[in-house]
Amino acid sequence: MRRTIRDVSQRAGVSVGTVSNVLNAPHLVSKPTLSKVLEAIEDLDYRPNRAARGLQARRTHLIGYRLPGPGVSPALDVFLHQVVATAASHDLALTLFSPRPGQDDLEALREMVSSGDVDGLILSETNYGDRRVVLLHDLGFPFAAFGSSDLPFDFPWVDIDGAHGIALVVEHLVAQGHDRIALIAWPEGSKSGDQRVDGYHLAMERAGLDPDPDLLIRTNNGFEQGRRAAFELFGRKPRPTAVVTVQDELAFGVFAAAAEIGLRVGDEVGVAGFDDSDAARLMSPGLTSVRQPFEQVAEALVDLLVARLHEPDGDPQTVLVKPELVIRGSTVRTPA
Amino acid sequence: MRRTIRDVSQRAGVSVGTVSNVLNAPHLVSKPTLSKVLEAIEDLDYRPNRAARGLQARRTHLIGYRLPGPGVSPALDVFLHQVVATAASHDLALTLFSPRPGQDDLEALREMVSSGDVDGLILSETNYGDRRVVLLHDLGFPFAAFGSSDLPFDFPWVDIDGAHGIALVVEHLVAQGHDRIALIAWPEGSKSGDQRVDGYHLAMERAGLDPDPDLLIRTNNGFEQGRRAAFELFGRKPRPTAVVTVQDELAFGVFAAAAEIGLRVGDEVGVAGFDDSDAARLMSPGLTSVRQPFEQVAEALVDLLVARLHEPDGDPQTVLVKPELVIRGSTVRTPA
DNA sequence: TTGTAGGCGTTATCAA
DNA sequence: TTGATAACGCCTACAA
């Protein structure tokens, strides 16, 4: 049974205004009235109606998240869980949306904004010159983005330091005695991809290693892509001693290529990935990989958005979180 | 800029009621008025405010989904995507929730219901005697459940025919010439787990094979659990020729045990899983597994819920979808 | 400290 | 076919 504030007021023998005050400004209410009203609320299992509250306050207490396409986002469950939890702690609920068939991303966004269905938005997979960010910025609509960009204005974002992640991998490999370290990366033009390549170059340089351009291959995500790239790399003379990839699935392609050539992963060639997917843990040998702290990202995104909601004109904050290296058999030689 | 229905009515030179009719009952409006109003809507980029609409109609146009804990639900991205898309086609948006820390599932549910924040709910991981289902049924609140149960009343659910899935696996193995087929299943007491065991028994019987109780091991999810169970099974005399599991990760544990013993998966022992996870595809050999059609489930769940919303007292519908066998190297002998 | 009244944006009702 | 008006449930003034 759904109760209204009026039901409560009648049961407690007070006016609706007083009940409202109990909820929103308890310090204005006398002790006895307070407890009387609280009891009535309890008895009736009353909760304020969000729609009505939102209508009056021009706030929906809802934030929106543009759901990425299937297969795009590793650990979506972890991420969403933390977004929901953090949002709840701010008395906010999360609603998901994605463009309707035939509708483009910007239109979908514009619709979210003009319908007033949400107080703010969380974007992910931000990229160079991201038009969604430009749109929301121009409209002055509160948002926070997962991923930085290269736009001529500041906006609130949270990013994972991919350069640091790849650098951790390279450092680890160097410590293992590797000196011909190859990289399988994405084609140029994605912010997160380029960050990872930068991290590779930086770490190679710091280790005093010459980053041979022949050891950098660019390709899209995928097992087969990784396999093909690995064959190419294994054909180079001298052969790379280790292959780093910007995504786990690429690394599994490298596993396959190594097996076909008869190279033992771990002992004869080091292989590392990025994402710390389930498969990385389950594979044999396990795949050394970079774990992205999605919980932290989720929490930071909501916090940044909430800050925006409260102070739309404050300076946009940004957060860069450091990923973590998970070392497994694929980069470690088994003792003889 | 957020516009109201009043802005539109003024621009079009009609009353707000007429604008509302254009939106909700266009057949009541004359052609010229209609186009005048539509133009004004277009010009102002007007969208009705969901909160206000919901307040008046006692409908929020929001449905809620209880987010399962991280790691529980394979292919959450696929599932959510389809839920969002199907919901959108019914003019419904999806909102996620999960119990606050310290709050139990039933309380969270009760809160969703009494706040009136959502029109209906989608539950997942339904089990025997599911108290959430009982609660919502007793309250008469619209919902649809992913997973059937054993309750003394009917309710709308969608389930994947796990018995059929495991039966497909067994039939496939029999066709490959296997006759000692073991099963690693979950402990008794879960509906979906017991379904899968039933499917095993049924298919064994149909194949004229004696289901040796020594070849059925019950354990919880996990790599290590699968590995231990496999060691036990491989100790039986005569040794099973194939091991079926009710979850992929268990199967990878079997892979590991086989490798340690020196048994070649595929050639010397057949192994099959359930879920068709990414890892199943990426492993070498690939893991034969049962693919669950989560898109279909998602679509059916929303459709069932919508039916409920429109006709709360109709007979609850149920949908049982058939999973699909994906055959990979783990159950196929490589030709010599 | 408590009560009353107006309005948030929409839809439904009823009269014109 | 259209327009005026009263809800829907809540919060914020302001009055008592």
Side-chain angles (χ1 to χ4, degrees):
Chain A
M1 184 56 179
R2 268 194 31 220
R3 305 310 199 140
T4 74
I5 203 170
R6 168 145 275 114
D7 297 326
V8 176
S9 74
Q10 279 168 1
R11 178 166 187 116
V14 299
S15 77
V16 292
T18 301
V19 177
S20 178
N21 279 336
V22 168
L23 259 28
N24 303 297
H27 56 278
L28 298 179
V29 181
S30 72
K31 267 253 154 19
T33 312
L34 192 71
S35 54
K36 220 174 18 179
V37 172
L38 286 174
E39 202 183 308
I41 288 177
E42 178 83 9
D43 289 350
L44 298 176
D45 192 32
Y46 164 79
R47 320 252 185 230
N49 175 297
R50 186 190 287 156
R53 206 218 288 243
L55 183 57
Q56 128 77 30
R58 280 86 170 285
R59 292 196 46 190
T60 61
H61 294 266
L62 231 42
I63 61 179
Y65 175 63
R66 156 67 215 263
L67 199 59
V72 171
S73 159
L76 183 69
D77 55 344
V78 172
F79 178 76
L80 285 181
H81 224 266
Q82 192 61 47
V83 169
V84 169
T86 310
S89 75
H90 292 285
D91 192 24
L92 254 23
L94 181 71
T95 168
L96 262 26
F97 70 102
S98 66
R100 288 192 299 266
Q103 188 187 40
D104 84 351
D105 229 332
L106 290 177
E107 262 181 276
L109 232 42
R110 205 176 267 121
E111 189 168 318
M112 287 305 276
V113 171
S114 60
S115 69
D117 287 347
V118 296
D119 294 337
L121 289 167
I122 291 178
L123 257 36
S124 56
E125 291 136 59
T126 316
N127 207 344
Y128 294 128
D130 199 295
R131 299 185 53 201
R132 303 168 303 164
V133 172
V134 174
L135 174 70
L136 294 177
H137 176 263
D138 288 351
L139 291 171
F141 194 78
F143 73 98
F146 183 177
S148 52
S149 188
D150 61 346
L151 296 165
F153 52 82
D154 292 333
F155 65 94
W157 55 255
V158 179
D159 207 355
I160 291 174
D161 190 343
H164 180 73
I166 291 289
L168 286 175
V169 174
V170 171
E171 283 160 20
H172 161 67
L173 288 168
V174 168
Q176 296 281 313
H178 290 278
D179 56 357
R180 294 262 305 158
I181 301 175
L183 178 69
I184 303 178
W186 294 320
E188 283 182 84
S190 94
K191 173 90 190 191
S192 59
D194 292 354
Q195 283 174 339
R196 294 180 195 183
V197 174
D198 289 348
Y200 166 74
H201 283 135
L202 221 74
M204 291 292 277
E205 211 169 291
R206 275 205 301 256
L209 293 175
D210 189 34
D212 182 347
D214 269 8
L215 294 189
L216 170 55
I217 293 193
R218 291 178 179 273
T219 183
N220 286 313
N221 272 347
F223 180 88
E224 201 42 52
Q225 282 79 355
R227 182 169 159 276
R228 274 201 297 268
F231 275 126
E232 247 182 87
L233 288 170
F234 290 151
R236 305 273 193 253
K237 306 261 157 69
R239 203 174 59 208
T241 60
V243 179
V244 178
T245 69
V246 295
Q247 187 230 10
D248 280 357
E249 195 168 335
L250 287 168
F252 298 130
V254 179
F255 272 44
E260 289 174 56
I261 288 179
L263 277 176
R264 289 198 317 272
V265 167
D267 282 320
E268 294 174 318
V269 61
V271 180
F274 203 107
D275 275 352
D276 190 29
S277 57
D278 283 334
R281 174 174 54 87
L282 298 169
M283 206 57 65
S284 173
L287 175 66
T288 292
S289 190
V290 177
R291 198 186 91 81
Q292 308 195 64
F294 288 110
E295 305 89 338
Q296 271 184 60
V297 172
E299 192 171 346
L301 277 170
V302 175
D303 287 341
L304 253 47
L305 179 54
V306 168
R308 227 50 202 151
L309 256 23
H310 290 137
E311 231 181 312
D313 302 316
D315 273 344
Q317 314 250 334
T318 63
V319 175
L320 191 62
V321 303
K322 295 237 175 291
E324 184 187 334
L325 184 64
V326 181
I327 297 172
R328 298 201 180 86
S330 70
T331 55
V332 177
R333 295 193 175 83
T334 48
Chain B
M1 185 56 179
R2 274 212 6 236
R3 304 311 198 138
T4 75
I5 203 170
R6 169 145 273 112
D7 296 327
V8 176
S9 75
Q10 279 168 3
R11 178 167 186 117
V14 300
S15 75
V16 292
T18 300
V19 177
S20 179
N21 280 336
V22 168
L23 259 28
N24 303 297
H27 56 279
L28 299 178
V29 181
S30 73
K31 267 252 154 18
T33 313
L34 191 71
S35 55
K36 221 174 19 180
V37 171
L38 286 174
E39 201 184 309
I41 289 177
E42 177 82 9
D43 289 351
L44 298 176
D45 193 31
Y46 163 79
R47 320 251 187 232
N49 176 297
R50 187 192 287 155
R53 202 205 309 221
L55 183 57
Q56 137 75 31
R58 281 83 172 286
R59 291 197 46 192
T60 61
H61 293 266
L62 233 42
I63 60 179
Y65 174 63
R66 156 67 215 263
L67 198 60
V72 171
S73 160
L76 184 68
D77 54 345
V78 172
F79 178 76
L80 285 180
H81 224 265
Q82 193 59 48
V83 169
V84 169
T86 310
S89 75
H90 292 284
D91 192 24
L92 254 23
L94 180 72
T95 168
L96 263 26
F97 71 102
S98 68
R100 288 193 299 266
Q103 188 187 39
D104 85 351
D105 228 333
L106 290 177
E107 264 180 277
L109 234 41
R110 205 176 267 121
E111 190 169 317
M112 286 305 276
V113 172
S114 60
S115 68
D117 286 348
V118 296
D119 294 337
L121 290 168
I122 291 178
L123 258 36
S124 56
E125 290 136 59
T126 315
N127 207 344
Y128 294 128
D130 200 295
R131 299 184 53 199
R132 303 167 304 163
V133 173
V134 174
L135 174 70
L136 294 177
H137 177 264
D138 288 351
L139 292 171
F141 194 79
F143 72 98
F146 184 176
S148 52
S149 187
D150 60 346
L151 295 166
F153 52 81
D154 291 333
F155 65 93
W157 54 257
V158 179
D159 207 356
I160 291 173
D161 190 342
H164 180 74
I166 291 290
L168 286 177
V169 174
V170 171
E171 283 160 22
H172 161 67
L173 288 168
V174 169
Q176 296 282 313
H178 290 278
D179 56 357
R180 293 248 322 146
I181 302 175
L183 178 69
I184 303 179
W186 294 320
E188 284 181 82
S190 94
K191 172 91 190 190
S192 59
D194 293 353
Q195 282 174 338
R196 294 180 196 184
V197 173
D198 289 347
Y200 167 73
H201 283 135
L202 221 74
M204 291 291 277
E205 211 168 293
R206 276 204 300 256
L209 293 175
D210 188 36
D212 182 348
D214 269 8
L215 293 190
L216 170 55
I217 293 193
R218 291 180 180 273
T219 183
N220 286 312
N221 272 348
F223 181 89
E224 201 43 51
Q225 282 80 354
R227 184 170 158 274
R228 274 202 296 268
F231 275 126
E232 246 181 87
L233 288 170
F234 290 152
R236 305 274 193 255
K237 308 257 156 72
R239 203 174 59 207
T241 60
V243 179
V244 178
T245 69
V246 295
Q247 187 230 11
D248 280 357
E249 194 168 336
L250 287 168
F252 299 130
V254 179
F255 271 45
E260 288 174 56
I261 288 179
L263 279 176
R264 288 197 319 270
V265 168
D267 283 320
E268 294 173 321
V269 61
V271 180
F274 203 107
D275 273 353
D276 190 30
S277 56
D278 283 334
R281 176 173 52 88
L282 298 169
M283 204 59 63
S284 173
L287 175 67
T288 291
S289 189
V290 178
R291 198 186 90 80
Q292 308 194 62
F294 287 110
E295 305 89 337
Q296 270 184 60
V297 172
E299 193 170 347
L301 278 171
V302 176
D303 287 341
L304 254 48
L305 179 54
V306 169
R308 222 57 199 147
L309 256 22
H310 290 137
E311 231 181 313
D313 301 317
D315 273 345
Q317 314 249 334
T318 62
V319 175
L320 191 62
V321 303
K322 295 239 175 290
E324 183 187 336
L325 184 63
V326 182
I327 297 171
R328 297 201 181 87
S330 69
T331 55
V332 176
R333 296 193 175 85
T334 47

